Amino acid sequence: MKQNLILVALALPILGFSQIGGFVGDGATVKVKPNTTMYVGGDMTVQSAANVSNDGNINVRGNFTSGNTTDGSNFINTWTSATEYGQLIINQNATVSGKITHQFRLSDTFDYHALGYPFVGNTADDLRAQSGTTATFNANQQSGNNVFNPQRWRAPIWTWNNATFSTDNPGENQVLTPLFYHAVNGYDGYYSFNSATPNNFHGKPNNGPNNNPITSYSGQIQNNRQINVYGEAYGSYIEDVTMSAPDGWTTYANPSDLVTNEMGYGENVYYYGNPYTSNICLDLDANITHIWQTTNMTYVHTNEGGPNEGVGATNTSTMELQTDIGAGDSNVACVRPFHTFGIKTNGDDNIAMNFSDAIKTFIPVSDSIPSYTYNRGGAASDLYQLQINLFDNNDAFTGNRFYLAAHTSFEAAGAVGNEAFNTWLGDKTGFTLKQENADGTVSPTSHGMYINGFNTYSYVAKPLYAAFQNNGTMGSNFTIKANFNENLLNSSNKFYFEDAMTGYVTEVTPGFTYSFTESGSTTDRFRFYWNGLPETLGADDVSLASQTIVYKDGKEHKVRFDRTWNSADIFVYSISGQLVHTAKNLPTNQDYLLPLHGQTTMYVVKAVSNEGVVVTKKVIK
């Protein structure tokens, strides 16, 4: 999308902007159009009776002053849709005074609406009033001492506490922290409004840096019957989208159903909100293994567990996570204003979530966020990924999608961390993947997955099953469409698709679409194949993809040669272009170990076949 850049000091002198900043006097009107960035190189002052309507982006490098100290109506970041909204970035070292309005549309279908709150000094009562919830503060809502309080669910504002794995109920005068994950109560009729109209949130915009150290909480959640500080059983609300729940985890209502948490389920999971009035693209510590964006919370307030044990808030997410090899979409780490996200770490201490100017951005975020997974920047260069999206009979995207990811490190039946479980589907209509055994059968303990990783070389021409679940609410006709990641698009590798009910079999191309009439829920009708089809499908003329790749095996890098090559020469160059290694007339029926030693740097590996075919790959050691 093209962005227009306006240099305030030069382009808008009629508005009174100087070469070092900008001044918008009383009665003056400034309109920043969508897809336009206005850059203020110095200080910016907006007087109380001025009118700044920001449909685009404003970047202020100096101090920011608003003359409005009540409702911020003199400066409005507008909201039109999920992808069209005004953003404001203020230098983290600048002084900020006065208030602005930042519009954000809350969903009208939630129990507890999760949101960040990017203002400094605002209280829980400010958020209550601006959100429109009719729930009210009551001292009896704040229980504690491990005693269950069935009235706690009525509190208007909730804040997630990363240290106690629970939501707290702040008092009405408690100042809220912009970085925290908050939620607004819409449960049981506490919220009713026109969903097409955005809320006007207002306050002093947060601009400062925040270094948030993360402390490991490994071993804290011992079982599903363990209760939090509010007397609520962990098994009633703790979720972990990075793995399947231990068997029996949600049987918390019966005291005899005690499930030991030997997997670390729900531990080292942290929730945050975007603390700024602009998009952010997170710079994640290497010890952060997963990230997902969250939407809302549901809550059941009955006391089923006994006099001192109750049912807590259940965090639900429309998505999901990153796999450690880098499968999934690329921008779940980019978070819109007011949106929230969760992360999971490997349990190490001294992990930092650094919020600063470095992560503030105007880069557009897809309107399908938060239904995205994060692709770490170091995703494998030989990860081949097919994304399938489901559309309804009106060609509208349903939100349902899944990924098939091929890589040399994947086992046939997958490994924890390489695949993502599907927490999106629930009781909705759509696809979920079934985990495969090495022989191509479905694993009997298979959980529905969002991402299925399989081995590039050992899982050729074997079925990968996409189970279809129909709850009868979306109609009977659907269409699936495909997206390729760059590696798959630029390689000779292929995916094939089969509809076993109709007998339709085809290669999946970048423009692939397939329409079908659902036949109820099914586990084996829809199948995908990697680089070949079974002989039973008459694929004698299908040639398996062949290419030369460089892949990482543990800490070593190896070359796997195109099987049509008889021999090969290898040349390795440093980043400066110096030839650092040569190997001639190598056999191509075995992988070649690259002797890369020394400090971390980038190399260029050139492989030349006996017939002169040249393949060049970049390697970062």
Side-chain angles (χ1 to χ4, degrees):
M1 183 180 294
K2 183 177 180 181
Q3 292 271 333
N4 299 311
L5 178 65
I6 299 177
L7 296 177
V8 171
L10 302 177
L12 296 175
I14 60 173
L15 297 178
F17 290 99
S18 70
Q19 291 195 358
I20 61 171
F23 177 84
V24 185
D26 287 340
T29 297
V30 174
K31 177 79 169 179
V32 180
K33 295 182 179 180
N35 306 319
T36 299
T37 297
M38 187 169 79
Y39 188 90
V40 181
D43 297 343
M44 182 174 186
T45 298
V46 181
Q47 291 193 327
S48 59
N51 182 4
V52 176
S53 180
N54 179 25
D55 296 348
N57 311 309
I58 297 179
N59 191 328
V60 180
R61 306 317 300 157
N63 299 322
F64 179 88
T65 301
S66 169
N68 186 309
T69 59
T70 54
D71 62 1
S73 58
N74 60 329
F75 185 107
I76 301 177
N77 286 332
T78 62
W79 187 96
T80 302
S81 70
T83 56
E84 297 181 20
Y85 48 90
Q87 301 182 71
L88 171 66
I89 291 178
I90 304 173
N91 186 293
Q92 66 184 28
N93 298 316
T95 298
V96 177
S97 60
K99 296 183 178 181
I100 69 165
T101 290
H102 191 114
Q103 294 182 339
F104 179 68
R105 188 186 74 84
L106 296 174
S107 168
D108 57 354
T109 55
F110 65 86
D111 288 334
Y112 290 81
H113 196 300
L115 76 168
Y117 197 44
F119 302 118
V120 175
N122 278 23
T123 65
D125 193 51
D126 291 329
L127 177 55
R128 178 206 58 78
Q130 294 168 22
S131 67
T133 180
T134 58
T136 58
F137 290 96
N138 188 308
N140 293 330
Q141 296 161 357
Q142 300 189 43
S143 56
N145 301 316
N146 300 329
V147 177
F148 179 68
N149 180 359
Q151 297 300 312
R152 199 169 83 89
W153 66 275
R154 298 177 182 273
I157 304 299
W158 297 61
T159 298
W160 182 262
N161 188 325
N162 284 313
T164 61
F165 305 95
S166 63
T167 50
D168 295 335
N169 305 126
E172 58 185 318
N173 295 318
Q174 182 173 328
V175 175
L176 302 181
T177 301
L179 182 59
F180 285 8
Y181 171 112
H182 306 293
V184 174
N185 190 346
Y187 190 83
D188 200 24
Y190 276 137
Y191 201 93
S192 177
F193 67 105
N194 183 351
S195 62
T197 303
N199 290 67
N200 288 318
F201 294 93
H202 51 84
K204 176 183 174 182
N206 176 49
N207 68 307
N210 182 290
N211 296 324
N212 183 65
I214 293 175
T215 301
S216 170
Y217 293 109
S218 299
Q220 297 298 305
I221 301 177
Q222 299 172 8
N223 57 64
N224 67 329
R225 299 294 305 155
Q226 183 181 355
I227 60 174
N228 64 22
V229 295
Y230 300 106
E232 297 155 347
Y234 285 151
S236 70
Y237 70 96
I238 289 290
E239 289 190 355
D240 189 337
V241 300
T242 71
M243 63 179 70
S244 58
D247 291 340
W249 182 257
T250 58
T251 58
Y252 51 84
N254 186 343
S256 65
D257 292 325
L258 184 67
V259 178
T260 301
N261 185 16
E262 298 176 352
M263 303 166 52
Y265 183 81
E267 293 181 345
N268 298 308
V269 170
Y270 309 84
Y271 293 97
Y272 298 98
N274 181 351
Y276 299 120
T277 52
S278 71
N279 295 337
I280 57 174
C281 284
L282 299 164
D283 182 14
L284 297 179
D285 188 290
N287 293 307
I288 294 173
T289 60
H290 304 89
I291 176 172
W292 59 97
Q293 292 202 36
T294 55
T295 51
N296 63 350
M297 296 192 298
T298 58
Y299 190 87
V300 182
H301 62 276
T302 55
N303 184 10
E304 299 180 32
N308 292 323
E309 297 179 10
V311 179
T314 299
N315 293 309
T316 59
S317 165
T318 58
M319 199 51 240
E320 278 122 51
L321 58 108
Q322 162 219 344
T323 61
D324 55 11
I325 202 65
D329 281 331
S330 61
N331 68 345
V332 76
C334 295
V335 186
R336 294 197 290 261
F338 286 88
H339 278 233
T340 58
F341 60 96
I343 64 168
K344 180 160 184 164
T345 76
N346 58 11
D348 288 355
D349 282 326
N350 302 316
I351 300 172
M353 287 287 290
N354 296 320
F355 295 84
S356 64
D357 280 353
I359 68 169
K360 301 173 186 176
T361 182
F362 296 138
I363 294 174
V365 179
S366 169
D367 60 356
S368 58
I369 287 289
S371 297
Y372 265 39
T373 34
Y374 176 58
N375 183 336
R376 189 178 291 279
S381 60
D382 53 347
L383 174 73
Y384 305 101
Q385 178 175 276
L386 176 67
Q387 173 188 345
I388 298 295
N389 301 314
L390 179 67
F391 294 79
D392 65 16
N393 56 357
N394 294 315
D395 202 35
F397 179 49
T398 65
N400 180 225
R401 67 183 70 189
F402 62 84
Y403 298 87
L404 299 170
H407 189 261
T408 55
S409 70
F410 291 155
E411 298 297 330
V416 174
N418 286 339
E419 299 173 330
F421 294 96
N422 193 336
T423 63
W424 179 91
L425 191 59
D427 60 356
K428 305 180 184 73
T429 292
F431 284 101
T432 185
L433 295 168
K434 308 300 289 185
Q435 194 168 71
E436 74 289 348
N437 291 319
D439 62 359
T441 59
V442 174
S443 171
T445 59
S446 176
H447 297 275
M449 293 184 298
Y450 183 79
I451 297 174
N452 189 4
F454 55 93
N455 188 272
T456 309
Y457 293 100
S458 67
Y459 209 81
V460 172
K462 299 177 184 179
L464 293 154
Y465 294 97
F468 186 79
Q469 173 180 294
N470 178 37
N471 66 4
T473 62
M474 296 174 59
S476 60
N477 298 313
F478 299 91
T479 299
I480 54 175
K481 301 180 182 181
N483 287 328
F484 286 29
N485 78 339
E486 186 175 356
N487 293 336
L488 180 60
L489 187 64
N490 295 323
S491 76
S492 56
N493 291 294
K494 299 179 185 296
F495 279 95
Y496 297 89
F497 167 75
E498 176 191 9
D499 182 340
M501 190 181 81
T502 65
Y504 181 77
V505 180
T506 187
E507 177 186 337
V508 180
T509 61
F512 168 83
T513 64
Y514 179 70
S515 298
F516 65 95
T517 300
E518 58 84 19
S519 56
S521 297
T522 177
T523 58
D524 60 357
R525 173 180 173 179
F526 301 102
R527 307 168 186 179
F528 292 84
Y529 303 88
W530 165 253
N531 271 340
L533 289 166
E535 292 184 3
T536 55
L537 295 178
D540 295 337
D541 58 343
V542 175
S543 60
L544 299 184
S546 179
Q547 63 178 153
T548 295
I549 65 169
V550 178
Y551 68 97
K552 192 172 183 180
D553 183 8
K555 295 183 178 181
E556 306 292 343
H557 286 82
K558 297 180 180 179
V559 180
R560 181 161 294 176
F561 298 101
D562 186 317
R563 57 181 163 273
T564 63
W565 292 11
N566 294 322
S567 64
D569 299 336
I570 291 290
F571 303 90
V572 181
Y573 299 88
S574 68
I575 192 172
S576 62
Q578 179 183 4
L579 180 64
V580 296
H581 176 72
T582 303
K584 295 291 188 72
N585 200 30
L586 296 169
T588 55
N589 60 353
Q590 62 187 36
D591 295 351
Y592 178 71
L593 174 63
L594 292 169
L596 304 180
H597 305 292
Q599 63 182 2
T600 300
T601 186
M602 186 179 77
Y603 296 92
V604 176
V605 179
K606 183 170 73 173
V608 183
S609 76
N610 56 294
E611 295 183 351
V613 177
V614 178
V615 174
T616 302
K617 302 285 186 180
K618 293 180 180 179
V619 174
I620 298 178
K621 184 183 183 300

